[in-house]
Amino acid sequence: NKKVVLLYINNSGGTPALETSIGTPSTTTRSITWATPVDSTIDPATGSEIVVSDLTATSFLVTYKENTTNHLKTVIVTYNTGNDTVSFGTPSSVAAATVGGVIRVARDTNSSAGADGYKTIIAYTKGTNVHARVLTINNSTNAITFGNETAALNTNAVSSTNPVFDVAHYGL
């Protein structure tokens, strides 16, 4: 049974909340049947990006800008195939300072088999720079270890509040 997980910001209650819904695709009708949405306690900023990077067939990394602090957070979300439920881990702080609205994530697909864990790079705007951090995610415990934050571009390289950039991995 193939499933898809939809993540979105629901702001209908006045306070933004990250929600998920599990979908079951049908190849015969070419449609998706959606389960009842599940609310999380995660507080993303309305209008900012939510970036998803899959780790395994049942877990993925979600990176988002937090609503109350404008800091960059990341959380591991796990899908339980036995009962079609989604659970959220504990959010971790990627950047404990105000970040912009542009976030990019790339996972090194070759790192999943290694003992060191999944290697992922997160790039984001902060002030007039693009910053980046490498994360290592433990294969068995989902614990996240953060590398140092580095400025990926020179000071004042970002002249727009929504610059266009992307990130790709090259054997982290």
Side-chain angles (χ1 to χ4, degrees):
N1 287 336
K2 300 286 184 185
K3 302 286 183 177
V4 293
V5 178
L6 174 67
L7 287 134
Y8 57 95
I9 298 173
N10 183 348
N11 197 28
S12 64
T15 301
L18 187 64
E19 290 189 355
T20 62
S21 187
I22 299 168
T24 306
S26 168
T27 55
T28 55
T29 63
R30 294 187 178 150
S31 63
I32 299 175
T33 304
W34 295 101
T36 303
V38 176
D39 193 4
S40 73
T41 58
I42 294 173
D43 180 27
T46 303
S48 68
E49 295 180 344
I50 302 171
V51 182
V52 179
S53 176
D54 32 329
L55 301 173
T56 68
T58 58
S59 66
F60 43 96
L61 185 73
V62 178
T63 305
Y64 61 97
K65 182 177 172 179
E66 187 178 50
N67 185 46
T68 54
T69 64
N70 287 321
H71 294 178
L72 191 61
K73 301 276 184 151
T74 193
V75 64
I76 294 176
V77 180
T78 305
Y79 168 63
N80 183 321
T81 57
N83 60 9
D84 277 347
T85 58
V86 173
S87 61
F88 291 83
T90 303
S92 299
S93 182
V94 177
T98 299
V99 296
V102 181
I103 307 163
R104 299 291 182 262
V105 176
R107 182 175 73 88
D108 182 357
T109 55
N110 295 321
S111 69
S112 62
D116 291 340
Y118 305 105
K119 303 281 188 186
T120 300
I121 186 166
I122 298 177
Y124 48 93
T125 54
K126 188 169 93 173
T128 57
N129 287 320
V130 174
H131 290 260
R133 284 185 93 166
V134 173
L135 284 63
T136 302
I137 302 160
N138 184 290
N139 292 337
S140 56
T141 65
N142 284 339
I144 300 173
T145 304
F146 292 93
N148 293 331
E149 177 184 69
T150 59
L153 295 175
N154 295 329
T155 303
N156 297 321
V158 178
S159 60
S160 163
T161 56
N162 292 307
V164 177
F165 68 92
D166 208 345
V167 62
H169 69 83
Y170 290 97
L172 297 172

